[in-house]
Amino acid sequence: MHIHILGICGTFMGGIARIAHDLGHKVTGSDQNVYPPMSDQLQQLGINLQQGYLAEHLQPAPDLVIVGNTISRGNPALEYVLNQKLSYCSGPEWLYSEVLRHKHVLAVAGTHGKTTTTSMLAWLLEHAGLNPGFLIGGVAENFGLSARVTSSDFFVIEADEYDTAFSDKRSKFIHYRPNTLIINNIEFDHADIFHDLAAIRREFHNMVRILPETAEIIYPAGDAEVERVLDMGCWSQRVDFAGQDSRWQLGKASPDYRHFEVKLDRTVAAEVNWTLLGEHNAMNALAAIIAARHIGIEPQQSAQALAAFRSVKRRLECILDNGNIRLFDDFAHHPTAIRVTLKALRAAAGENRIIAIMEPRSNTMRMGVHKDTLADSLREADVVLIFQADNVNWDISQHVAELGDKCRVFTDIDAIVGQVKSECRAGDYIVVMSNGGFGGIHKKLLQVLADQ
């Protein structure tokens, strides 16, 4: 079958392309921005990529067009699909029909931590010899891939709450029908799609209400929004963790959480020694360990796997450590994620300074939805440098004034690099937080810091 994918260079749709290719289909695709690394990965598979969205890309007609959720009415290629009555569907719809309905699906949902936890869970299954398929919203370092399909009975997927397609405004995760579901947390985000938290809550409820009785839903005790969703109606098994009465707990831990105990029924079931930082990552790991046990992998075996776990690109990834200065790249773009990232760094840095460089880039941030909580999320940093892009239509300086002299707002990225060069000193921990390329700031910082 010839499948053409509109919006092929996004992480999710690129993963769909790889899976379709590996299943033996002829795959082509088009995107407004055909760019590395996804374009390189796809072209190495022999997938023909075309720039833009032209009707000619669909001539001769493919057997099926998979439409990405960035494609809207008015797009020339989509209009051609509709006018010519070509067969089309969404990526999640195709994935369930062709892959997931045959598998035990382990899904990770929530506002924060999805990509890291999904990568952990896939690795726990891989280490246990289960050879899982997976689709992750980032490159899992243990695999060097974001997606694959195998003959295994298991498939691990990052369950994104973004809408499915122009023709289906439900969240993507509605289509996955998991047998094992982790819900890390629920907060308000994606204000370009959801009007309020109630709208997000409704989507999570729509997913939960179609799960079988045999499914297991794993979540942190005390997360009011997750519990509110489950109280709306839940017919599956509920397993909470890290609460006062929970069977699953984090035990003794080092200050940076590079070592921690996993407790089950008040008894130490495993000890984890690994390279990741922060309580939030230990909580992600605990959720993954519980999910793995649902399919028969014991905690001690999972702990052994985590010792060899390598995190996802851009999730508190150390991209420079020259013995004097450490530079980290992190995807944090929501105040909660910023706060836990800096908390994790503080535990590792001790008395050393933390320089936080932040770009409010997500649609929600640019709209100013989180402007009143941004300053508080940055308090753990000793120096804060924020970039105000032209498309951020609120005054950042006004909303971070309470941070005082330790915070500066810039409208020029090179000026930030220059400030870091003059400001940094031995022992500093520098973290760049953005969900985008940030104007190439990472490469520029590497150049000026390498010899510091």
Side-chain angles (χ1 to χ4, degrees):
M1 176 182 283
H2 176 199
I3 296 174
H4 187 87
I5 299 178
L6 299 179
I8 194 171
C9 284
T11 304
F12 177 82
M13 297 306 288
I16 292 290
R18 174 180 285 273
I19 289 171
H21 170 271
D22 291 349
L23 289 174
H25 299 295
K26 175 186 176 182
V27 181
T28 58
S30 50
D31 204 301
Q32 189 61 47
N33 296 297
V34 175
Y35 52 86
M38 186 57 72
S39 60
D40 291 342
Q41 292 180 35
L42 296 176
Q43 286 169 342
Q44 287 169 8
L45 295 174
I47 295 174
N48 181 34
L49 306 180
Q50 294 167 294
Q51 180 76 35
Y53 297 111
L54 303 178
E56 300 91 274
H57 297 165
L58 298 163
Q59 299 167 355
D63 299 296
L64 177 68
V65 179
I66 300 181
V67 182
N69 73 338
T70 61
I71 309 300
S72 304
R73 288 303 304 264
N75 179 291
L78 176 58
E79 296 304 316
Y80 182 81
V81 168
L82 298 177
N83 290 337
Q84 298 299 314
K85 295 187 176 181
L86 301 186
S87 179
Y88 72 89
C89 68
S90 70
E93 181 184 0
W94 179 87
L95 184 65
Y96 179 78
S97 174
E98 297 299 315
V99 179
L100 300 186
R101 68 188 181 94
H102 306 295
K103 308 285 187 180
H104 180 114
V105 177
L106 301 97
V108 181
T111 309
H112 314 293
K114 291 188 295 294
T115 304
T116 302
T117 309
T118 309
S119 300
M120 286 182 196
L121 186 52
W123 176 241
L124 298 191
L125 271 66
E126 177 76 3
H127 187 269
L130 297 180
N131 189 34
F134 56 80
L135 179 51
I136 303 169
V139 177
E141 289 290 277
N142 286 96
F143 299 96
L145 301 169
S146 62
R148 78 177 185 190
V149 64
T150 69
S151 60
S152 167
D153 292 332
F154 301 98
F155 196 98
V156 183
I157 189 164
E158 180 173 335
D160 187 353
E161 68 268 32
Y162 262 98
D163 57 355
T164 297
F166 82 99
S167 56
D168 182 355
K169 305 315 287 184
R170 297 173 299 169
S171 291
K172 290 177 185 173
F173 56 42
I174 295 294
H175 296 274
Y176 302 154
R177 305 185 194 182
N179 307 90
T180 307
L181 171 64
I182 295 171
I183 306 178
N184 275 336
N185 39 63
I186 298 176
E187 290 192 63
F188 184 59
D189 200 7
H190 312 312
D192 52 325
I193 297 174
F194 299 108
H195 294 296
D196 52 26
L197 187 53
I200 298 174
R201 194 183 302 127
R202 173 59 60 180
E203 290 300 306
F204 275 86
H205 170 63
N206 287 340
M207 172 173 57
V208 167
R209 69 179 292 112
I210 62 174
L211 301 188
E213 290 179 340
T214 54
E216 189 167 279
I217 302 174
I218 300 157
Y219 62 98
D223 188 302
E225 286 301 327
V226 176
E227 292 181 348
R228 192 170 177 181
V229 165
L230 297 180
D231 289 343
M232 291 169 71
C234 177
W235 295 265
S236 305
Q237 306 302 307
R238 296 168 60 158
V239 180
D240 64 18
F241 62 88
Q244 184 175 354
D245 299 320
S246 301
R247 295 183 62 207
W248 292 90
Q249 304 272 357
L250 288 180
K252 293 179 182 178
S254 62
D256 59 6
Y257 284 86
R258 282 180 167 151
H259 167 80
F260 62 89
E261 295 175 341
V262 173
K263 285 190 169 185
L264 174 58
D265 295 328
R266 312 292 177 182
T267 301
V268 176
E271 293 188 31
V272 175
N273 294 281
W274 65 344
T275 61
L276 270 66
L277 297 171
E279 183 181 12
H280 67 295
N281 276 322
M283 292 283 278
N284 291 339
L286 180 56
I289 288 169
I290 299 168
R293 191 169 188 262
H294 187 223
I295 58 169
I297 303 172
E298 292 301 322
Q300 187 57 48
Q301 191 173 5
S302 291
Q304 293 169 359
L306 289 172
F309 176 67
R310 293 159 57 199
S311 193
V312 190
K313 286 284 188 183
R314 307 206 62 202
R315 270 62 177 185
L316 205 50
E317 178 188 6
C318 185
I319 58 175
L320 172 69
D321 183 351
N322 63 11
N324 290 315
I325 293 169
R326 294 173 179 85
L327 175 63
F328 295 84
D329 181 15
D330 195 74
F331 202 69
H333 55 277
H334 182 287
T336 299
I338 294 167
R339 183 180 298 107
V340 299
T341 292
L342 293 177
K343 181 181 178 182
L345 272 185
R346 174 54 64 204
E351 297 299 315
N352 291 317
R353 295 192 315 163
I354 295 174
I355 299 176
I357 305 167
M358 195 262 164
E359 176 191 28
R361 180 184 176 277
S362 72
N363 290 329
T364 308
M365 271 291 194
R366 287 193 289 106
M367 293 166 65
V369 173
H370 296 307
K371 61 187 178 184
D372 292 329
T373 55
L374 179 60
D376 188 64
S377 71
L378 290 160
R379 290 193 184 280
E380 283 284 3
D382 299 285
V383 178
V384 178
L385 310 175
I386 303 177
F387 176 60
Q388 172 126 23
D390 293 339
N391 59 3
V392 176
N393 56 13
W394 50 281
D395 185 357
I396 296 176
S397 297
Q398 177 183 344
H399 291 275
V400 295
E402 62 189 84
L403 295 176
D405 293 341
K406 76 174 185 178
C407 180
R408 292 185 59 185
V409 178
F410 297 79
T411 57
D412 182 78
I413 290 172
D414 288 334
I416 296 177
V417 176
Q419 183 68 27
V420 173
K421 183 178 181 179
S422 62
E423 174 94 20
C424 69
R425 58 181 185 239
D428 281 350
Y429 283 61
I430 304 170
V431 58
V432 179
M433 293 179 287
S434 170
N435 67 339
F438 206 158
I441 196 171
H442 306 85
K443 183 178 180 179
K444 294 176 180 180
L445 287 170
L446 285 170
Q447 290 172 345
V448 301
L449 294 174
D451 298 325
Q452 288 286 110

